[in-house]
Amino acid sequence: MNGIMMTLSSAEKDLLGRTFQWKWNIDEKLFYSEPLLKIIFGPENSGSVRFRLLVDLLDANQATYFKKNIETSISSQDVVTSHLVFTIANVRYLVEVTIYSSNLKLVAGSMLFKRLLPSKQKEASILKKLFYQSSRLLFVCDDNNQILMINQMLVEYLGYEEYEVVGQKISAFIHDKNNVFQEYFFNCEANGTWDGELFFHHKDGSFVAFKANILHYSGSNKSTQLNIFQLSKLDFIFSDIVEYSQQKPNWDWNNKVDFFDELNDMRALRSNQESLVVFVIDTYFHSSKNSISPRWLLGQSLPKLKGFQHIVKLGLLNDEQICGAFISSKLVKTIHSDLAEIFDLLLEENQLQLEHKIRCNIGVSIDGVDAQSNEQLLSNTLQALTTSSVGFSYVNEHKVKYFNPKINIINNRKLKLESALKSCLEHEQIYVVYQPIINLKTLKIDKVEALARFNINTTVHHSIQELIDLAEENDWINIIDKKVLLTAISELPALATMLGNENLGLSINRSMINSSKNRFTLDDTVTLINSTGIDPRRITIELTESAVCNDNQSILDDIKHITDNDIVLAIDDFGSGYTSFTDLSVLPLNLIKINKFITDDIVKDKQKRLMVKMFTQFIHSMGGEIVIEGVEGKEVLKALVEMGVNYVQGYIFSKPLSLMEHSNTVNDINVIIDKLQLKLLVSDMKKIPTVTDFLMPAPPHVEPDDRIEMFIDMFESSDMIMVLSNTKCVGYISQNDVNAAISPYVNTNAETKHDRLTMTKRAHQISIPVEYTCYTDYSVESLLKHFCLYPQSVMVVTGKTGIFLGAITIEQVKGHLFKMIQQ
């Protein structure tokens, strides 16, 4: 600029990173900033210049922006900050300009020179490089649509070289059978932009389909006018679409008459528990409604509908309108999720390669609910479609409107709740509460169940279970499960201290929905638990009955992974209808949780009482334990104690509480135990014989590698010696077993080398392997049945982790029964 004395090097040194105070005297039209002006205009500058000279350092748009900011500051009396680009000595600076004081006479502020920007020449070079290397096909045309510039994608997409197209009109390369290109002239010149589909001639004679975005550029004096074409290749070509639309080979019908005939056939196939659902679609692709491209894509996806769980068919009402029908359940929730699955099958995979996705509006009517005839079904569906701008919900990203307003209300409620839950999860508004699980033998808190709670911002009334169900439907449940697990493990030490049990167990729920994300997350759970250093035997993973009793091999592998790591496995909501006794007999189960629904009426309902008692005895015979959830009444609690249930949890003892809310839980539970006289009831129940009453007096034990000569004297005080390895019983030895192994010449004058070697045999070489084991809660009835079948056997009794507790032979059983008869 004329009058500017500085050089590039001095500009960078003297201006970058510095802040300069300035004032503008409006009456004098002078700009004051002595240090800044002396750098720009030289040391002879007096410290002021005409304000116009400062504005000349900005381009026209920036100058206007600067003046508007000054006007804003004067009118509002607020501090105004903006970024402006000043060009000084051919160097462009990004400057943070702050106006902090202003009136009609004087404006004051500061300027911070933040960084250098590319020069106009360098900027143009960068833009030109970006233009040529763009992954889109780009044309720049003059106002007559004569091609001025193209980028390197031309050869890849259309096969032409640059010299073959520059200077020609772009219309010569466009296949414009439907006069779509003419639409551009009207819309683009009026609105400055146009979006749509264009089909270009390839050099080899074929057609290539593009998504087109066209910008109309006009210079400030309108001397320069340009049309800029940005083209993204679509994954189909025009000739395929034309051929497909003419043949229509895959549609289930091509007119209304055939559609009605198909509805009659589908109606005859549905059961009394199923609904026939009809829908009509409006498609939107770029700026076009019901264009040929979406119909072509949807038609290509028709074979995928064979993978849908029920009958679903799709066809054309006319040349443009797509309609469909499917069989679903009578539940609104299921109908809506089935509709979402259908559109996933039709569109999701196809749209992966499309920069601009197909959107649909869907009108829906249900046979027998809001229509009784084919004509009424179609009429209602079309009416729902035409009013889809209000009262709609969504399937995936598509608007759906049901003719029945009650269904729309249900779906809108669910949509609001889903949105609120999604926001809750994104902002990590999840916390954990714990409900104590009481051991009915000790009347102590053995473990707690960790449960998720949500700080959710919604006025929609809902339950916790409804939020969990929504999370599973939307594949968000892994977020919740992981948060609960991490929080609960971190709070377990403090909770154990608070509840007076240093070995307090922790029970967590894990979802087993059919999701690869959750398959991985469940495996990751075991790894995470092991990484914390916590004893895995303190952790219980609860899986729903429907998930555990499943033939899916990956689920069975997950279950084995849990138990192989000594983590306790529990079936939650047992009795909901999935499990057979055969399933339970082959699964490695530790705990069975019976839902409140089954136990609520056991005091009055004899059948339910017998059912719970049968469950309890069977599970005990399988080495498992019973937890009853949702216990609220004292009569129910007493009945459960009498049945021999192991654990209970419910509001009768405590509702789920956060960590800090459990400070008085132990005292509160003790008060309840005393009030209900549970200690007396439990002590009475202990008089009933258990497996531990039959244990032989503590037998001596040896290790597998101990020699016969080391333990042979033990038989003077016992008839049996147990062989233990790391607290687990691996076999047993009787006097007869030793006699069979020892030569008859031992301890005689005829002792030989062979005899001496015999005495050095190891315990594991002569012991009998353990064949029968049970836990301490094994029923006496089952024990008696066992010895009736196998009178010569030895029953080894272990804890849940396999630790040896004792052994039983038929002699101990006979002796104890004799004592009972005498009593």
Side-chain angles (χ1 to χ4, degrees), residues 385-436:
L385 182 64
T386 56
T387 59
S388 60
S389 58
V390 293
F392 61 86
S393 57
Y394 283 94
V395 289
N396 306 324
E397 297 175 325
H398 311 291
K399 288 182 181 179
V400 58
K401 176 75 175 289
Y402 291 82
F403 179 79
N404 189 319
K406 291 182 180 179
I407 298 178
N408 291 314
I409 292 171
I410 292 171
N411 285 327
N412 281 327
R413 175 190 173 279
K414 181 181 177 182
L415 192 64
K416 291 177 182 177
L417 202 55
E418 280 182 351
S419 177
L421 177 59
K422 183 179 181 182
S423 176
C424 172
L425 299 181
E426 288 174 347
H427 293 88
E428 298 186 355
Q429 296 297 307
I430 310 172
Y431 64 100
V432 181
V433 294
Y434 307 92
Q435 187 170 37

Side-chain angles (χ1 to χ4, degrees), residues 587-643:
L587 289 171
L589 303 176
N590 306 112
L591 279 177
I592 300 293
K593 300 192 76 174
I594 297 179
N595 193 274
K596 177 179 185 291
F597 170 76
I598 296 177
T599 58
D600 258 354
D601 300 323
I602 59 172
V603 176
K604 298 178 181 179
D605 192 325
K606 184 178 179 180
Q607 285 187 332
K608 277 194 174 182
R609 189 162 63 252
L610 288 173
M611 181 173 67
V612 174
K613 187 174 182 180
M614 179 187 68
F615 281 162
T616 302
Q617 290 178 342
F618 179 78
I619 297 305
H620 284 172
S621 71
M622 298 296 297
E625 295 181 317
I626 296 287
V627 183
I628 305 295
E629 298 180 291
V631 179
E632 297 178 2
K634 62 180 181 180
E635 296 302 325
V636 172
L637 178 61
K638 290 180 178 179
L640 296 174
V641 173
E642 292 171 356
M643 290 178 189

Side-chain angles (χ1 to χ4, degrees), residues 432-434 485-496 658-660:
V432 181
V433 294
Y434 307 92
L485 174 66
L486 292 173
T487 303
I489 287 180
S490 68
E491 293 184 346
L492 185 59
L495 194 61
S658 65
L659 172 65
M660 299 312 298

Side-chain angles (χ1 to χ4, degrees), residues 455-517:
N455 288 320
I456 186 168
N457 184 21
T458 181
T459 58
V460 178
H461 181 71
H462 61 275
S463 66
I464 297 297
Q465 187 57 49
E466 187 175 10
L467 296 179
I468 297 296
D469 291 343
L470 283 176
E472 288 193 337
E473 286 180 29
N474 290 280
D475 206 7
W476 302 331
I477 193 68
N478 63 302
I479 301 173
I480 298 171
D481 284 348
K482 189 170 184 179
K483 173 68 174 179
V484 171
L485 174 66
L486 292 173
T487 303
I489 287 180
S490 68
E491 293 184 346
L492 185 59
L495 194 61
T497 301
M498 198 173 288
L499 297 181
N501 182 352
E502 64 179 10
N503 291 313
L504 183 72
L506 174 65
S507 189
I508 57 172
N509 295 280
R510 294 317 312 253
S511 172
M512 294 289 286
I513 60 172
N514 190 19
S515 159
S516 58
K517 188 184 296 183

